[in-house]
Amino acid sequence: MSIEWASGTRGDSYPELSRGTTQTGVRLYNERLILSLVRLHGQLPKAEMARLTGLSAQTVSVIVRQLEADGLLKRCTPQRGKVGQPLVPFELDPNGAFSIGLKVGRRSGDLMLVDLAGHVRHTIHRPYTFPSPTEMISFVTSGVEELVSGLTPEQRGRISGMGIAAPFELWNWAEDVGAPPDVLMAWKGFDLQAEIATRFTWPIHFCNDASAACAAELLFGRGRDLQDFAYFYLGYFIGGGVVLNGSLYLGRHGNAGALASLPVTSELGQSEQLVHSTSLASLERDIKREGGDPELLWRDLGEWRGAGPSLDRWLTRAAFNVATAASGVMAVLDCSAIIIDGAVPLHVRARFVEAVQQALARVDRQGLADFPILEGTIGADARALGAASLPLFDNFIINRNVLFKEKA
């Protein structure tokens, strides 16, 4: 395998992908089922795999033997202390496969290298005012080279693909973005996925950025324990996602969970979309209007020192709007929970979730069952991690609703 770099020259020659690294290799339903169950439970002996799947012990042994040979599963320390032979659990081999995630945001971009077990191996964060397509392609080209530089040739041969998480209409909401019109419109008609595909030989996947963040929470966060939930993500523009029956639901046009477009009432008593008052873009405007430094939102991801009273006022207003929107979502979906995450410091996320919980008391929810507001677990990395999970979903993971039936 090789990589086509932007210059047109070829990179290092990588070993051919193993049988287990491509969609063709893991095409058998039972192989994907075993891999997905091991991911869900962490470690499983073959006897437990057979019990959960209903497959015969012999069939499970054959599958596990092949997956172990492919480098996708590895043996753990035998479990002793029971009658008979000690049980040998298996877990995912982190070096069995790798994937790359790209998050394209309106104020920052991220690249992430993730292994099969979901461990983040390396990340690159780049803040900017607003990117042009040319600048983004340059960032991806140089960034990917940096990401894979620490991998061995064999590991590079196990890169299963790249996922892209980006807004569907990066040029939209021009008034809120504040970027030069020519830069915004350069994105209209620009096919980022196709351009990146010309530079690499891996499969390139694309997903809405908020849906990708929701996928990360489903696969790696507290969503693993929920069969369905609605998800709000606080980014430059607020977004969301929907999980039904243990699977990310994208809708007919891939736009399910477009929670930014939900109607709420503005401070002036007029109808407006949630995106206008609840996104970090509105907090950025408030800080700037009050003489502060709005760049701290993208530069100081750990603390947001200096946000001051602007943050307090935005948090109160935004929390009530999210509580209103969440009630509307629950009226339609009646799901297990609302999860809130975002590209915000951990203490801000905790305050926001608590404020939404308190704001629910002021929302008319007659006819609705009570529902929990839960704090997400991934934070600023959610969109890049979700993007990196797309090749893993495509190659190694089976529909989650099957797993819930067997886990119950």
Side-chain angles (χ1 to χ4, degrees), residues 32-329:
R32 294 171 68 110
L33 179 58
I34 293 296
L35 288 171
S36 299
L37 284 170
V38 173
R39 176 182 294 279
L40 184 64
H41 292 269
Q43 295 182 355
L44 280 178
K46 287 186 286 188
E48 188 67 6
M49 296 179 197
R51 186 188 71 80
L52 289 169
T53 61
L55 299 172
S56 69
Q58 181 179 4
T59 298
V60 169
S61 292
V62 171
I63 293 173
V64 170
R65 189 181 308 121
Q66 183 63 66
L67 292 175
E68 189 178 14
D70 289 338
L72 300 176
L73 289 179
K74 67 176 183 177
R75 296 170 182 259
C76 303
T77 303
Q79 298 175 348
R80 304 184 184 276
K82 299 181 180 180
V83 177
Q85 294 292 323
L87 295 175
V88 179
F90 288 81
E91 65 183 10
L92 296 178
D93 188 334
N95 292 316
F98 298 86
S99 63
I100 294 173
L102 166 67
K103 185 240 16 186
V104 180
R106 292 177 171 86
R107 283 294 184 268
S108 64
D110 295 280
L111 278 165
M112 178 179 290
L113 178 68
V114 176
D115 64 31
L116 181 61
H119 303 139
V120 177
R121 296 295 187 94
H122 189 47
T123 60
I124 303 172
H125 175 72
R126 175 171 294 180
Y128 42 63
T129 302
F130 193 87
S132 69
T134 302
E135 290 171 333
M136 182 54 60
I137 291 297
S138 175
F139 169 57
V140 172
T141 303
S142 61
V144 167
E145 186 170 9
E146 179 182 335
L147 284 182
V148 304
S149 63
L151 298 179
T152 67
E154 179 183 0
Q155 290 172 334
R156 295 180 188 184
R158 288 179 171 267
I159 296 174
S160 59
M162 176 188 288
I164 303 171
F168 279 153
E169 297 181 351
L170 196 62
W171 63 88
N172 208 347
W173 287 302
E175 182 178 342
D176 297 272
V177 172
D182 59 327
V183 176
L184 279 174
M185 295 312 296
W187 285 98
K188 193 169 186 177
F190 181 79
D191 192 333
L192 180 63
Q193 181 179 5
E195 285 295 326
I196 291 178
T198 65
R199 289 160 169 79
F200 307 101
T201 59
W202 311 308
I204 308 296
H205 307 263
F206 186 92
C207 186
N208 174 265
D209 57 339
S211 295
C214 185
E217 189 67 44
L218 170 64
L219 188 60
F220 303 110
R222 67 190 316 162
R224 290 176 295 183
D225 299 321
L226 297 172
Q227 193 160 3
D228 44 56
F229 61 90
Y231 176 87
F232 288 81
Y233 190 84
L234 298 169
Y236 188 77
F237 287 152
I238 192 171
V242 174
V243 169
L244 298 176
N245 296 320
S247 297
L248 183 65
Y249 178 70
L250 295 177
R252 182 176 181 180
H253 300 102
N255 206 31
L259 305 183
S261 298
L262 286 172
V264 294
T265 302
S266 72
E267 293 179 300
L268 300 177
Q270 300 173 338
S271 177
E272 67 176 11
Q273 291 187 335
L274 184 67
V275 64
H276 295 299
S277 61
T278 309
S279 301
L280 298 185
S282 63
L283 175 58
E284 182 185 59
R285 288 196 304 271
D286 290 347
I287 294 174
K288 184 176 182 179
R289 183 172 57 248
E290 295 170 14
D293 176 15
E295 292 302 315
L296 69 88
L297 299 179
W298 324 112
R299 182 181 64 246
D300 185 11
L301 297 179
E303 293 294 334
W304 280 7
R305 291 181 295 270
S310 300
L311 174 60
D312 298 332
R313 286 190 289 270
W314 170 84
L315 191 147
T316 300
R317 180 179 71 247
F320 180 77
N321 286 340
V322 168
T324 302
S327 299
V329 169

